[in-house]
Amino acid sequence: MIYFIPTPIGNLDDISVRSLKLLAECKTLFCEDTRITKRLLSLLSQRHNIEFQIKNFISMHSHNENTVLSTIDKKIFEESVGYLSDAGMPGISDPGAALVRFCQENALPYEILPGANAALLAYVTSGIETHQFLFYGFLSHKGMDRQNELFEVLNSPYAVILYESPHRIEKLIEELAQFAPNRKIFAIKEATKLYEKRFLGTSLEVQQASKTANLKGEWVIVITPEMQQGGEAITKEDLIDLDLPPKQKAKLLSKLTGESIKEWYTKLQK
């Protein structure tokens, strides 16, 4: 059996009894980062007095999944095998899906264990009362792709959950304050860890509160749906007023209205 085993997102006590039991049975571990997995196993071994019998640690991440799976010796699957991402559920903004497909295509038995997930934790902690939500993961780092995705998020009829790194969280909060200043958002950093920090309020309020905060750590942002805000949707006028080059502005307006980029570019030149 191949087990996909969730790991704690911060607090080591969030590892399940079943996960510990199966890790003790595994002879091979696929890991997003072998160094992080080995440190985790060392801590778990000390805390729970378990001696793990891992013979092989195989690095498998988003940049080498296909190469690893195309060259792997299938004999390793004759014993119990596990897959661990660095933190949380494998396959949720983390590698893992390629190995699931590999199991399906090669008729290998596999099982997904339930466990810690930052997106669901943040959504419930936010207290936002909606029955539907959209998990978006990470926005693109920069350029038009990022702006297009951000406008898509802000015009969503659902609550949207975003992940963000400590390197770009300040930029994201600034963007939200600029494009949807009155939109209610919830932000949590380092969930379940010692220095967990939460922010709740409008985008502007969260921006002000975050200015004096330590922003180091992994972040999850929950954005309330546009439909609940009464007029918070991004409009043509909002985009036209932005201080952007005409070509970029035309692309955004085209995405919002369905009119061609060329038509908008011509209008903006007048």
Side-chain angles (χ1 to χ4, degrees):
M1 182 71 75
I2 303 172
Y3 299 103
F4 291 77
I5 303 173
T7 51
I9 59 175
N11 192 318
L12 282 179
D13 288 336
D14 289 335
I15 192 79
S16 72
V17 173
R18 185 182 176 206
S19 294
L20 289 171
K21 179 181 177 181
L22 293 176
L23 280 171
E25 295 177 5
C26 288
K27 304 304 180 185
T28 296
L29 283 185
F30 289 94
C31 318
E32 182 180 2
D33 187 320
T34 57
R35 296 164 300 178
I36 291 176
T37 297
K38 287 177 180 178
R39 285 200 297 269
L40 173 64
L41 292 179
S42 177
L43 292 170
L44 293 175
S45 177
Q46 296 171 32
R47 180 167 297 202
H48 298 280
N49 194 27
I50 298 174
E51 188 172 344
F52 297 109
Q53 304 295 325
I54 314 298
K55 296 185 294 186
N56 300 310
F57 288 87
I58 300 174
S59 175
M60 192 173 74
H61 45 76
S62 57
H63 300 294
N64 74 346
E65 284 176 308
N66 292 332
T67 301
V68 170
L69 293 175
S70 65
T71 58
I72 199 74
D73 183 355
K74 294 183 182 177
K75 288 184 178 180
I76 67 170
F77 299 113
E78 294 174 2
E79 298 179 308
S80 293
V81 174
Y83 175 79
L84 283 73
S85 61
D86 291 346
M89 282 290 293
I92 304 296
S93 283
D94 274 328
L99 183 56
V100 171
R101 291 195 303 272
F102 180 83
C103 294
Q104 294 167 342
E105 292 166 359
N106 292 275
L108 296 171
Y110 68 95
E111 190 163 354
I112 312 294
L113 276 66
N117 176 261
L120 293 179
L121 183 149
Y123 178 73
V124 176
T125 308
S126 73
I128 294 173
E129 296 182 15
T130 62
H131 298 293
Q132 298 171 314
F133 63 85
L134 171 66
F135 174 65
Y136 211 94
F138 289 93
L139 295 173
S140 296
H141 294 178
K142 57 186 177 180
M144 289 301 301
D145 287 342
R146 181 180 179 86
Q147 288 191 355
N148 288 339
E149 291 169 7
L150 183 60
F151 291 145
E152 185 176 0
V153 164
L154 292 175
N155 283 283
S156 171
Y158 311 110
V160 178
I161 304 170
L162 297 176
Y163 285 166
E164 192 53 277
S165 74
H167 309 294
R168 287 181 294 275
I169 185 61
E170 185 175 5
K171 177 182 179 181
L172 175 59
I173 293 174
E174 287 177 354
E175 290 169 331
L176 293 173
Q178 178 184 1
F179 298 124
N182 298 315
R183 185 77 62 89
K184 186 176 181 181
I185 66 172
F186 172 78
I188 182 170
K189 78 157 190 168
E190 297 292 85
T192 80
K193 296 180 183 178
L194 180 62
Y195 296 105
E196 175 182 302
K197 183 72 174 178
R198 306 173 186 178
F199 300 87
L200 177 66
T202 66
S203 299
L204 275 178
E205 290 169 343
V206 170
Q207 182 188 35
Q208 290 300 315
S210 67
K211 286 182 176 179
T212 57
N214 181 347
L215 302 183
K216 292 181 180 179
E218 299 300 320
W219 289 78
V220 187
I221 310 293
V222 185
I223 303 171
T224 54
E226 179 275 324
M227 61 187 298
Q228 290 191 351
Q229 298 302 308
E232 278 293 310
I234 299 294
T235 65
K236 292 185 294 183
E237 289 71 23
D238 293 330
L239 296 181
I240 291 170
D241 290 339
L242 291 178
D243 184 19
L244 293 173
K247 190 173 181 180
Q248 290 186 14
K249 200 178 294 187
K251 288 181 179 179
L252 294 173
L253 287 162
S254 173
K255 188 174 181 67
L256 180 68
T257 65
E259 296 180 52
S260 73
I261 296 174
K262 184 177 180 180
E263 288 175 329
W264 271 113
Y265 186 78
T266 301
K267 290 180 183 178
L268 292 170
Q269 297 302 307
K270 296 179 179 179

